[in-house]
Amino acid sequence: MNKKKICVVVASRANYGRVKYLMKAIQAHDELELQLIVGASTLLSRFGKAIDVIKEDGFTPDRSIHYVVEGETLLTQAKSTGIGIVELSTAFDDLKPDAVVTVADRFETKATAVAATYLNIPLIHLQGGEVSGNIDDRVRHAITKLADFHFVATEESRKRVIRMGEEPETVFNYGCPSMDVLVYDSLAINNDVMERYTGVGSPIDWKKDYILMVQHPVTTSYGEGFFQVNQTLEALSRLPEIQKIVLWPNVDAGSDDVSKGLRVFREKGHDKNFRFFKNFSAEDYGRVVANAKCCVGNSSSFIREGCFLGVPSVIIGDRQEGRERGKNVVHANYDADDIFTKVSEQLQHGNYEHDPLFGSGNTGNKIADELARIDLKRLKRLTF
Amino acid sequence: MNKKKICVVVASRANYGRVKYLMKAIQAHDELELQLIVGASTLLSRFGKAIDVIKEDGFTPDRSIHYVVEGETLLTQAKSTGIGIVELSTAFDDLKPDAVVTVADRFETKATAVAATYLNIPLIHLQGGEVSGNIDDRVRHAITKLADFHFVATEESRKRVIRMGEEPETVFNYGCPSMDVLVYDSLAINNDVMERYTGVGSPIDWKKDYILMVQHPVTTSYGEGFFQVNQTLEALSRLPEIQKIVLWPNVDAGSDDVSKGLRVFREKGHDKNFRFFKNFSAEDYGRVVANAKCCVGNSSSFIREGCFLGVPSVIIGDRQEGRERGKNVVHANYDADDIFTKVSEQLQHGNYEHDPLFGSGNTGNKIADELARIDLKRLKRLTF
Amino acid sequence: MNKKKICVVVASRANYGRVKYLMKAIQAHDELELQLIVGASTLLSRFGKAIDVIKEDGFTPDRSIHYVVEGETLLTQAKSTGIGIVELSTAFDDLKPDAVVTVADRFETKATAVAATYLNIPLIHLQGGEVSGNIDDRVRHAITKLADFHFVATEESRKRVIRMGEEPETVFNYGCPSMDVLVYDSLAINNDVMERYTGVGSPIDWKKDYILMVQHPVTTSYGEGFFQVNQTLEALSRLPEIQKIVLWPNVDAGSDDVSKGLRVFREKGHDKNFRFFKNFSAEDYGRVVANAKCCVGNSSSFIREGCFLGVPSVIIGDRQEGRERGKNVVHANYDADDIFTKVSEQLQHGNYEHDPLFGSGNTGNKIADELARIDLKRLKRLTF
Amino acid sequence: MNKKKICVVVASRANYGRVKYLMKAIQAHDELELQLIVGASTLLSRFGKAIDVIKEDGFTPDRSIHYVVEGETLLTQAKSTGIGIVELSTAFDDLKPDAVVTVADRFETKATAVAATYLNIPLIHLQGGEVSGNIDDRVRHAITKLADFHFVATEESRKRVIRMGEEPETVFNYGCPSMDVLVYDSLAINNDVMERYTGVGSPIDWKKDYILMVQHPVTTSYGEGFFQVNQTLEALSRLPEIQKIVLWPNVDAGSDDVSKGLRVFREKGHDKNFRFFKNFSAEDYGRVVANAKCCVGNSSSFIREGCFLGVPSVIIGDRQEGRERGKNVVHANYDADDIFTKVSEQLQHGNYEHDPLFGSGNTGNKIADELARIDLKRLKRLTF
């Protein structure tokens, strides 16, 4: 029997965290064959070269494609999308997959979706139907309209995708595949394992209490990233005793601005008890979240993984506005005082209960089974 | 007062036919300033170089951008989109419009929509919400999700856009701007004026009866264009007495295939009483449709202009499937017998009554007034 | 032992004619492995889809890359080069050849040369050192300065490459590989074999006398192609008795213009005893040249193959100005009278003797042997 | 009278340093009009955003074009070239300059040269004919073969360009325009002015002795940058008393590697008496070189400006191999001991005499006068 060739495009370290266990499930499935394209920021050392982790995990890319135009502005993001389409279409034409998998809502995702659609290759979209109050919203919903099959992460998202006119039998809610890592791996953290992530700044003892800070630029308020990240840094500085783990931002427009905030903070020597990391493996990132006393910033992982694990989190600003969330999350404005208050309260509160809002794990296997089952060539119709 | 800069991107002769009167209305409006980018097939002589007509009509492009990758396959269509994004984003960044206008659903439209969205420039979409049974459907609805404001052509489309989650106050139905040409211009046709379109094939007397044939490739059944166009040609050959006007197809994937069908037909000398044209000005095309005894093929103009003018039309195949239509349209399969029967019946029936389904004209002015009125920077929200 | 991987990039039907026997020689060589990339106009039906012939000849492309931006203007030629570089560099990075082979002097060649050079892959250039009085001259010599090894076609070219500062031990004169086809294949022509080339126009009897006309656009006098081709057509019309075989022009800037000249000529019905073909296989093209009573136009094949075979030729205009030539060639201006006179004289004269100016065949094997022998990683130095 | 439109493409901070005074001279010239395109790393904050300095200096870009594909590998350099060609050709087609000026030998230069050549726009090349022992050599000489006019910096270069087959009357030696800055500006340095360059590391007193270190990656030994820069840093660490000024490397392939060397050195806290800067204005860079006790690394400015100013310099490795040089330069291997010895000797020796090898200044004006005088449309011919 011919296996169905499922081509996964991994275009950022966040992407990889999401689909790793789906990739493993496809690889292990009797009726499926994995094709892997890695591209964009996965290849860049400034963003932690996720490609190295991907290879260590036993995956062999069929194609590696550079398509990030440097600049991290809105303009270069558009251009990166354009070049991504040019090159991904050549790769798809060559690899001839039976379906292409794309994740979430960023510009790399968009390039994948457009290229696959124009080539009449069935498009599988993960994590559609969510709302986050951002340019990402438009892109995510536009991809929903291009996609043939939708694997959403929550019940609310499932309903929303269907309300947008997608046929219910093409929309599946098996939860978010990024939860899988939390189930498959022990969540204990230890200094020996973590030693390989050097980072810069104060020394860290992973066995002691720490706050995790991850703050990405917000593309709709492009240009304010420097101010925004400074508010958070100032708030956390008022908690001198507890250790602070900070991750550099992703490659969105404005990331230069946020990075600059972090760099200036360090140069000024205000970084006592702060340590800065480029990235972690998906598993180790799961451990870092799981063991944090509080997560601060605007990463969607605080809402997803945080909800699953019950980690107290403070979401700042509007990057995740409108996104479904569990009880573990409180909101703060771009304001050092407000952030300080909310973080203090969350530290006080301590851990929340597990909440299955984003699924209960094993999502990768469920999606792989579904991909084997469905007729990928089904003709797409709008329900109204 | 600062005028609002409205940038219209015209990327094919069909695009231009749609927005010409909107462009005139923007140009004439006190509070608006027209920026014009022409690109893609408007610059290519194989597709009738619409740029020449645009300049004759008194418009001066701010940018001319080549971005059609030759091949007319699905692959090259994807690549054209990619390169379009790369270059349009540079142009938008330079021209800094307050809004960008894009029309309908083809790959050039897509490039415009993606580039504008990433640059945070408000996107105005014309003719969203329609259903045509084609890859165009996906692209059209995806653009709806990217767009900030929607100027739809029918009441049904308005409802559909709103059902997809767009806010009702951003969706306007002023009809289709391609009707304007039918109102603004006398619809009489005469041989002297038409003489400048040379064409090839048998001589034509525009004062005598003729059938108009326009058949575009269908991207979802890529590779079958040669067969499809032959069915139509064979059917029309069985009506030897009446003159046949044939337009070459547009630049969609598969157009090579359709063109080949037309060429082979001509080479074989079967083209008695057929004459082949590359394109007409928007006004003259309106006249050619208005005076046809029957329109045959799959052009959406048969449904729109045909409905407005009551011209008997036979729509072949599924390119326009699901699209709203008036009484002037009957459907035929890709089958010479079926086509022959339906065309004969329509010739018998003669003209239908005017039907305001796609508006009553003056649409360009109404849209321009609305653009002057609305707050272009309104924050987009999903209604559910 | 590891074979040296030699990557040949074939980007036009003319390219393929040149390197076909080198490709065969590489394939057959014990110490070499052939990698094949086909791209640009080889993939386009308007230019005869050389890819089909390449596959029929038993070659399997490792990559097929579309990179012709439509328009055939100087501008789109530049853009095609740019996109070619973007995609070829990805392919080279993936295929990791030990050397890349590029032929002659056109924009597709340039893209190959730039991409390979930037990737530090040794570049093998065929047919450097020639002079033709054209933008091609600049491109050809620029590629010489980028290339590591030079396989030139004549002694004069060898000296010229060395005078430009290339080290003598990197410059080899084994003649022009396009002569190989003339040696390997019988040169008799017959109607049965040629029947598969349909063409358009008057019927042709290959056993009877014919003139071959091939006239490409001249990029430095862009815009005059229509006039130029008309002069030739008019001159040949004055020889009504003899059959005329005409090939459509290549994809250079201005080819639209020349094609239009041919089309209008046909539309006007002036094409009695003319037949128009898109392209021939390399072997059949060799036969068509070999059996022509006279070759007319500006194809370099009239100078190369014509010289080898002693076929009387009339070269028109300055496209081949400065190029070495044998006695079989006379020159004519873009002037119907002059062309008519020169063609008449050549028909009178009849065939010339074989001239080994461009080598004596077996060039493909000699180059392959040299590639196996040389140290591809040799450091390039300027001699002065 | 119509002014000749001279389009200068500035694509890196080094480019700008070279052509600034030529740009001023064109702007001031009665018969010339300046068109300015800025692109590539001039727009990137990681490389000091030269665009800001350019604007401060009173120039207004006609176009700003992003075309650096992130990665700083050989592959991304090729891709940047490709995208540069795509976009520059659109800009040239739009601005319609009478000539395009390109400087030196890097990938941005190459893109300019290819785009202009294909568009038949006369190409003016600055600093051709030099030899530096690098991939830059090939690119530089290839541009010579594409260019119409050559403004070289030394007598030796003039002869070399002519030997490569360029016509002597198209080759002009007015010296290097980067000397102009040294003449036009006072070379005194003071702490107040320099304060605006913050930099990172130990505090610096510009009035006291310092060594200047500028070490770029070497593209032909790609991957060894980390080792190479470490040798230099170690050598300079053995001179603890004297201040060290270090500039971050340019955007060549491998720059990541060199940057990493600098960063790790800083992170380890070995940077006592070292201060790191991103860039200086052309004038201030001239002052920094002029007042250095010794220049160390592989910047060509040590050879040019250093020669003019008589500043003792140590050139490391082969990046500038074969380049003409004055007495102020000694060579060292990638070896900390060797570097330490040579730097110590140069410090001992002290300043050299002024040497007019690279001209005596006022070059910008001389070139501008020549551009006004020459027939830009002159047909290019090879001399042999």
Side-chain angles (χ1 to χ4, degrees), chain C residues 122-197:
Chain C
L123 179 67
I124 314 293
H125 185 212
L126 268 55
Q127 304 196 303
E130 303 183 7
V131 175
S132 59
N134 205 315
I135 188 188
D136 296 351
D137 268 9
R138 298 181 189 217
V139 174
R140 190 184 314 108
H141 302 328
I143 295 173
T144 291
K145 300 314 293 181
L146 295 175
D148 296 85
F149 300 97
H150 315 270
F151 290 90
V152 300
T154 71
E155 185 53 24
E156 199 56 53
S157 299
R158 197 183 69 83
K159 287 184 191 152
R160 209 177 277 116
V161 166
I162 290 169
R163 273 200 299 266
M164 281 190 273
E166 299 300 297
E167 299 164 284
E169 53 271 45
T170 65
V171 190
F172 306 94
N173 175 15
Y174 293 128
C176 176
S178 50
M179 299 304 114
D180 290 21
V181 66
L182 306 176
V183 175
Y184 281 92
D185 289 271
S186 152
L187 294 171
I189 198 164
N190 75 57
N191 283 312
D192 289 354
V193 168
M194 296 305 282
E195 210 165 51
R196 58 176 166 144
Y197 303 106

Side-chain angles (χ1 to χ4, degrees), chain C residues 295-300 302-303 313-317 319-321 325 329-333:
Chain C
C295 293
V296 183
N298 58 15
S299 166
S300 63
F302 301 165
I303 294 177
S313 300
V314 177
I315 292 287
I316 302 169
R319 188 167 182 266
Q320 304 296 344
E321 196 181 330
R325 52 194 66 189
V329 170
V330 300
H331 181 269
N333 298 320

Side-chain angles (χ1 to χ4, degrees), chain D residues 125-251:
Chain D
H125 186 211
L126 269 54
Q127 304 194 305
E130 304 184 7
V131 176
S132 61
N134 205 314
I135 188 188
D136 295 350
D137 268 9
R138 297 179 191 220
V139 173
R140 191 184 312 108
H141 301 329
I143 295 173
T144 291
K145 300 313 293 179
L146 294 175
D148 294 85
F149 300 97
H150 316 269
F151 290 90
V152 301
T154 70
E155 185 53 23
E156 199 56 54
S157 301
R158 197 182 70 82
K159 288 183 191 152
R160 210 177 275 116
V161 166
I162 291 168
R163 274 199 299 267
M164 279 190 273
E166 299 301 297
E167 299 164 283
E169 53 272 45
T170 65
V171 190
F172 307 93
N173 174 15
Y174 293 128
C176 177
S178 51
M179 298 305 114
D180 290 20
V181 65
L182 306 176
V183 175
Y184 280 92
D185 290 89
S186 151
L187 293 170
I189 198 165
N190 76 56
N191 284 313
D192 288 355
V193 168
M194 297 305 283
E195 212 164 49
R196 59 177 165 144
Y197 304 105
T198 50
V200 297
S202 304
I204 178 90
D205 180 345
W206 291 99
K207 288 305 193 187
K208 293 196 179 153
D209 289 357
Y210 61 85
I211 292 172
L212 172 64
M213 167 179 167
V214 184
Q215 189 151 347
H216 296 299
V218 178
T219 48
T220 44
S221 63
Y222 180 58
E224 300 167 27
F226 186 75
F227 168 80
Q228 293 171 357
V229 77
N230 274 335
Q231 296 300 310
T232 313
L233 290 167
E234 196 191 314
L236 297 186
S237 300
R238 296 187 204 160
L239 296 154
E241 297 313 316
I242 189 167
Q243 303 179 110
K244 268 81 60 179
I245 305 295
V246 184
L247 262 183
W248 295 96
N250 65 20
V251 70

Side-chain angles (χ1 to χ4, degrees), chain C residues 198-352:
Chain C
T198 50
V200 296
S202 305
I204 177 92
D205 179 347
W206 291 100
K207 287 307 196 185
K208 294 197 179 152
D209 289 358
Y210 61 84
I211 291 172
L212 172 64
M213 167 180 167
V214 185
Q215 188 151 347
H216 296 299
V218 178
T219 48
T220 44
S221 62
Y222 180 58
E224 302 167 23
F226 186 74
F227 168 81
Q228 294 171 356
V229 78
N230 273 336
Q231 296 301 310
T232 313
L233 290 168
E234 196 191 312
L236 296 186
S237 300
R238 297 188 202 161
L239 296 156
E241 297 313 314
I242 189 166
Q243 303 181 107
K244 269 78 63 180
I245 305 295
V246 185
L247 261 182
W248 294 97
N250 65 22
V251 70
D252 275 333
S255 106
D256 244 36
D257 233 26
V258 174
S259 297
K260 194 182 154 196
L262 298 179
R263 261 199 317 273
V264 168
F265 182 76
R266 288 197 57 226
E267 308 280 353
K268 290 191 179 158
H270 296 172
D271 58 343
K272 195 173 138 7
N273 245 344
F274 282 79
R275 194 163 184 89
F276 298 80
F277 293 90
K278 276 206 177 160
N279 73 329
F280 301 106
S281 74
E283 287 78 3
D284 287 328
Y285 183 69
R287 287 183 190 107
V288 170
V289 172
N291 292 281
K293 289 302 157 197
C294 182
C295 293
V296 183
N298 58 15
S299 166
S300 63
S301 64
F302 301 165
I303 294 177
R304 292 164 196 275
E305 284 84 345
C307 176
F308 188 95
L309 297 163
V311 181
S313 300
V314 177
I315 292 287
I316 302 169
D318 53 4
R319 188 167 182 266
Q320 304 296 344
E321 196 181 330
R323 201 185 275 283
E324 273 178 282
R325 52 194 66 189
K327 289 190 178 142
N328 71 307
V329 170
V330 300
H331 181 269
N333 298 320
Y334 296 119
D335 173 81
D337 291 339
D338 193 29
I339 298 167
F340 172 74
T341 307
K342 301 292 170 54
V343 172
S344 303
E345 288 168 6
Q346 287 284 50
L347 288 172
Q348 193 79 22
H349 180 284
N351 267 33
Y352 292 79

Side-chain angles (χ1 to χ4, degrees), chain A residues 44-47 64-73 75-76 79 83 87 199-201 251 256 263 266-267 278, chain D residues 44-47 64-73 75-76 79 83 87 199-201 251 256 263 266-267 278:
Chain A
L44 299 177
S45 62
R46 236 172 11 117
F47 299 94
S64 303
I65 307 178
H66 279 272
Y67 58 90
V68 176
V69 174
E70 184 159 351
E72 281 141 65
T73 61
L75 174 61
T76 58
K79 292 195 168 203
I83 296 165
E87 296 237 23
V200 297
V251 72
D256 243 35
R263 261 197 319 272
R266 290 196 56 225
E267 307 281 353
K278 275 206 177 159
Chain D
L44 299 176
S45 61
R46 242 181 356 128
F47 299 94
S64 303
I65 306 178
H66 279 272
Y67 59 88
V68 176
V69 174
E70 185 158 352
E72 279 143 69
T73 61
L75 174 61
T76 58
K79 292 194 168 202
I83 296 164
E87 297 236 24
V200 297
V251 70
D256 244 35
R263 263 199 316 275
R266 289 197 56 224
E267 308 281 351
K278 275 207 178 160

